Amino acid sequence: MTNIEKLNAAFVEALDLDPNESIRDSYSYGDPKWDSVAHMALVVSIEAQFDIMMETDDVIDLSSFGKGKEILAKYGINF
Amino acid sequence: MESIFNLQGKVGIVTGATRGIGWSIAQALASKGMNLILNSISNQELLNERINELKENFKIEADGFLFDVSEPNSVKECYNQIFKKYKRLDVLVNNAGIMKDALIPMISSEMIDRILDVNVKGVIYNLQYASRLMGRNKSGSIINVASIIGRVGNEGQVVYSASKSAVIGLTYSAAKELASQNIRVNAIAPGFIETDMIKDVPPDKFNKISENIKMKRLGTPDDIAKSVLYLASDLSNYVTGQVLGVDGGMLV
Ligand SMILES: NC(=O)c1ccc[n+]([C@@H]2O[C@H](COP(=O)([O-])OP(=O)(O)OC[C@H]3O[C@@H](n4cnc5c(N)ncnc54)[C@H](OP(=O)(O)O)[C@@H]3O)[C@@H](O)[C@H]2O)c1
C-alpha cells in the first residue's frame, strides 16, 4: 500500500467512511463522523497503520486529512 | 478459571513499583506471567534489583524506568520505549502517589502543586499514552490507585483527599470515553495499608483509624495486589467505571 492508501485506510477504518471514496484534504474534525470520540480511534488507527507513536501536540493538531499528511511528514512519512 | 487469570505474553506497566503496594502489585502480575515495566522516582539501584528479582523468580521480561510521573516528557519517553520493544500494552496500574498532611491553615501552595502534580497529573499523563497503545488491540485495563480518603475525607488531608477524589472522578470519565475501544478503567480505594507511607502517622491518629477497621487488622500490600489482579485479568472483563474499596470494612 502507498502512504496515501494507508492514510485513507486509517480514516475509513476509524471513522467508518465509505471505502470507495477518496478523502479530500479539507475533510476536517467536526465534519460528519469525525467527532471527539472518533478522534481517539483515528489517532490509534493512524499510529497502527504507520507504526509510529505521535506526540500529544500532534494529536491535538490533527484537524483535517490534509493536516494529517503534514504531521506525518515529521515522522518521515511523505506523500 | 486458571486460564482466565493467565496473563502470559501480556504487557503491563506499574508506576511507583519499587516499594509498598506497587511492588506487591508487580509481583502478583508477574506471578501470572505478565511482562512488566516498572517505574519509580528516586533509587535506580533498587529499581534494578526489583527488575532482576522479577526476571529470576517469574521468568518474565521486565524493564524499569526511573522518572517522575508528573513530568510529561519522561512519561512520553517511557511509552515510546514500550512501543518500540513490545508494540502493545495490556495493563496500566497508576499506583505512584504521595501523601502529605497539613491542617488547612498550614497548607502551602507548593504542597498543593506537588500533590496534585504527582497524584493527578501523573495519572492523566500515563492514562493518555497507555490508552493509545491499548487502542491498537482494542483491549486493555487501566487501574488507578485512589484511596478511601478520596471517598470520605480526613482531617489534615484536604489536599491529599482532593487529589484522590480527582482520581475517582477521572476514572469515571475515562471509563466512559474508552469503553467503546474495549479499554476498561477502574479504581481501587485502599483503606489503611501497612507501607512506608503510613509509618509517620502519629500514634493517636493511627489507633483511631485502626479502631475503624471492622476486620480488625491493617491491610497489607498483598490485599491490594489481589484486587488489582482481578481488575487486570479477564475475570473482570465486563467491569468498568468502578471504585473497589479494599479496606477491611472501614466504611460498613
Ligand atoms: N499505604 C496506604 O495506607 C494507602 C492507602 C490508600 C491509598 N494509597 C495509595 O497507594 C499508592 C501506593 O502507596 P504506598 O503506600 O505503596 O506508597 P509508598 O510505600 O510510599 O511507595 C510509593 C512508590 O511510589 C513511587 N513514587 C513516589 N512518587 C513518585 C513519582 N513522582 N513518580 C514516580 N514514582 C513515584 C516511589 O518510588 P521511590 O521508591 O523511588 O521513592 C515508591 O515506589 C499511592 O498512590 C497511595 O496514595 C496508600
Side-chain angles (χ1 to χ4, degrees):
Chain A
M1 263 207 274
T2 63
N3 285 340
I4 193 71
E5 284 168 346
K6 281 187 184 177
L7 188 59
N8 245 300
F11 270 74
V12 165
E13 186 208 307
L15 307 181
D16 194 23
L17 302 175
D18 180 352
N20 300 315
E21 259 180 51
S22 60
I23 303 161
R24 276 173 293 113
D25 279 354
S26 59
Y27 179 58
S28 298
Y29 179 81
D31 285 351
K33 298 202 173 177
W34 190 351
D35 60 15
S36 58
V37 176
H39 191 72
M40 165 86 177
L42 178 61
V43 169
V44 169
S45 184
I46 291 174
E47 287 185 330
Q49 273 290 351
F50 294 100
D51 210 16
I52 55 165
M53 224 180 138
M54 281 156 63
E55 306 275 330
T56 302
D57 284 347
D58 292 332
V59 171
I60 296 165
D61 281 351
L62 178 64
S63 52
S64 70
F65 189 78
K67 186 77 189 171
K69 290 187 202 167
E70 260 174 52
I71 289 171
L72 285 171
K74 287 195 207 170
Y75 299 84
I77 297 150
N78 295 305
F79 293 88
Chain B
M1 213 33 114
E2 183 57 30
S3 66
I4 292 183
F5 253 131
N6 190 358
L7 301 173
Q8 210 87 36
K10 294 197 169 180
V11 180
I13 173 169
V14 183
T15 65
T18 46
R19 295 187 283 118
I21 293 172
W23 174 230
S24 277
I25 292 171
Q27 290 176 95
L29 295 173
S31 75
K32 298 295 170 198
M34 176 168 268
N35 298 316
L36 283 180
I37 294 91
L38 308 187
N39 148 267
S40 65
I41 187 170
S42 65
N43 188 338
Q44 184 70 56
E45 216 172 301
L46 180 61
L47 182 59
N48 292 344
E49 265 174 41
R50 295 309 200 199
I51 293 165
N52 290 334
E53 218 173 312
L54 292 181
K55 283 180 171 169
E56 272 168 32
N57 293 347
F58 304 110
K59 311 289 173 237
I60 58 153
E61 294 258 359
D63 297 280
F65 295 97
L66 196 78
F67 65 88
D68 181 342
V69 290
S70 70
E71 272 297 320
N73 285 333
S74 313
V75 176
K76 182 178 77 185
E77 188 45 34
C78 171
Y79 284 87
N80 271 331
Q81 296 300 328
I82 297 174
F83 168 65
K84 278 192 191 133
K85 178 162 178 184
Y86 296 101
K87 303 270 181 208
R88 66 180 290 152
L89 186 68
D90 302 282
V91 168
L92 158 66
V93 186
N94 263 318
N95 166 76
I98 53 171
M99 183 181 85
K100 285 192 187 112
D101 292 3
L103 292 170
I104 292 164
M106 262 80 85
I107 296 170
S108 66
S109 65
E110 288 80 13
M111 177 182 160
I112 300 173
D113 286 346
R114 186 62 191 151
I115 293 181
L116 295 184
D117 279 354
V118 175
N119 293 6
V120 184
K121 287 188 191 172
V123 170
I124 297 174
Y125 295 144
N126 277 279
L127 177 99
Q128 271 191 303
Y129 285 100
S131 59
R132 279 181 28 212
L133 278 180
M134 290 171 175
R136 291 172 181 234
N137 293 332
K138 295 242 179 308
S139 106
S141 173
I142 296 173
I143 299 144
N144 297 325
V145 180
S147 168
I148 190 171
I149 306 301
R151 303 171 91 186
V152 296
N154 196 23
E155 283 164 35
Q157 296 198 309
V158 161
V159 185
Y160 181 72
S161 66
S163 75
K164 292 300 185 179
S165 297
V167 170
I168 291 173
L170 73 87
T171 297
Y172 292 140
S173 297
K176 287 187 175 173
E177 205 171 308
L178 297 174
S180 63
Q181 298 192 63
N182 198 30
I183 299 170
R184 301 182 292 108
V185 189
N186 293 287
I188 287 188
F192 206 39
I193 312 299
E194 242 176 325
T195 68
D196 292 346
M197 189 175 266
I198 64 162
K199 69 179 189 307
D200 296 328
V201 175
D204 54 328
K205 205 171 164 190
F206 189 96
N207 293 335
K208 207 174 139 195
I209 297 172
S210 302
E211 278 166 21
N212 275 334
I213 307 175
K214 308 293 183 302
M215 291 180 80
K216 297 291 169 215
R217 68 167 176 87
L218 294 186
T220 65
D222 250 13
D223 292 326
I224 307 303
K226 286 175 191 157
S227 298
V228 168
L229 209 48
Y230 162 69
L231 291 172
S233 72
D234 282 348
L235 276 178
S236 59
N237 66 357
Y238 200 51
V239 178
T240 194
Q242 301 301 309
V243 181
L244 179 59
V246 185
D247 55 22
M250 286 178 84
L251 295 183
V252 292

